[in-house]
Structures are given as structure tokens and as C-alpha cells.
Amino acid sequence: MRHLNSGRKLNRTSAHRKALFKNMVLALIRHERIKTTDPKAKELRRIADRMVTLGKQNDLAARRRAFAALQSREAVKKLFDEIAPRFKDRNGGYTRVIKFGHRRGDATMMSVIEFTGQEEQSKSKKPRKRSAKKDAVTTERPRRAAAAAG
């Protein structure tokens, strides 16, 4: 029985797992969105949410605990100054895992993990303008079909 044994092993030793998730949470903080396999993303969600909770505490002890886990001053600074303040009114669920499809080589289920609250940033981008050349091509096709039919 697996009482009190939480977490996935992912066919790795404990040291390899620890290094893997340290690197993945570091990449997630730096890029705010990463693509990985589904089991890794689901396990990373637990660790990333704990890091954001540390960031919300915003005291020296929390900064030191975050640095002990991340080993990157830039990542700790970004976590405490940019990412954690976004979630000051939220009590959990700081990350989102979106299924992405199957990897071509081995058909492993892939997922994108990102911080929630990205939709405000992505909607703020201006929509792309369609080129005049593309509009001319789309308006020309129905005329040809009507001419051929008539």
C-alpha cells in the first residue's frame, strides 16, 4: 500500500526527479508557459503553486526558501515582484494544464502548463490585420465560380 507516498516517480531516481522539477519550475517562472508531457505537467503544478504561495508571503524567510529551491536570483525576483502580486486575491490554482496532443515520436500525451491570468495579457495584443492581397484572393473566388456556372 502507498500510504503517505504522494507524487509520481516518473521512472527516475529521487535526485533526478528533484533536479528535473527544479529546472522545470525555473523554466516556468522564466517563460510563464512551457510545453511538457502530461504527467510531468500535473506534478509540476504542485511545486509551482507552492512557489507562488511563497511569493505571496513576500518576506525575507520566504525569499530564502524560494532561492533554496530555485537557485536563481532573477527567478526569485520575478516570482516575488511580477508573478505573485497577480494572485494576491486568489487562494490557489495559480497554474493551468492544457492538453496539447500527442508527441509524434512516441505518442506521449503532451500538455502546456502556464500561469493563470494569461488571458488578460494575450487579449491585450492587437489582432493581426489581413493583407490586401489575401482579401483580393478571397473575393475573387466566388466570381470565378459564378462565371463558370453561368
Side-chain angles (χ1 to χ4, degrees), residues 126-135:
K126 293 180 183 176
R128 291 192 302 173
K129 294 181 181 177
R130 294 181 62 178
S131 65
K133 184 179 178 183
K134 200 169 198 176
D135 287 335

Side-chain angles (χ1 to χ4, degrees), residues 18 20-30 43-59 61-88 90-95 113 115:
K18 184 178 175 184
L20 171 80
F21 287 123
K22 176 187 152 193
N23 288 325
M24 288 182 73
V25 76
L26 195 58
L28 181 63
I29 289 170
R30 283 190 180 144
E43 200 61 29
L44 177 63
R45 182 173 47 189
R46 301 171 61 209
I47 300 164
D49 284 355
R50 286 184 191 142
M51 288 292 122
V52 174
T53 303
L54 279 177
K56 285 173 62 175
Q57 291 175 9
N58 201 16
D59 59 348
R63 276 185 188 268
R64 286 179 174 166
R65 287 178 61 199
F67 182 76
L70 299 174
Q71 296 291 310
S72 169
R73 286 187 174 88
E74 297 83 27
V76 171
K77 184 169 175 48
K78 183 173 182 179
L79 175 67
F80 279 77
D81 297 343
E82 296 176 25
I83 296 171
R86 280 192 247 160
F87 302 112
K88 63 180 178 289
R90 187 183 280 244
N91 291 329
Y94 310 120
T95 53
I113 182 167
F115 288 112

Side-chain angles (χ1 to χ4, degrees), residues 33 38 41 96-101 109-114:
R33 169 187 283 200
D38 197 41
R96 164 189 308 132
V97 175
I98 302 167
K99 304 248 191 244
F100 194 71
M109 190 64 189
M110 299 296 285
S111 291
V112 172
I113 182 167
E114 64 184 6

Side-chain angles (χ1 to χ4, degrees), residues 136-150:
V137 170
T138 56
T139 56
E140 193 175 311
R141 283 191 184 132
R143 286 187 216 147
R144 275 195 222 148

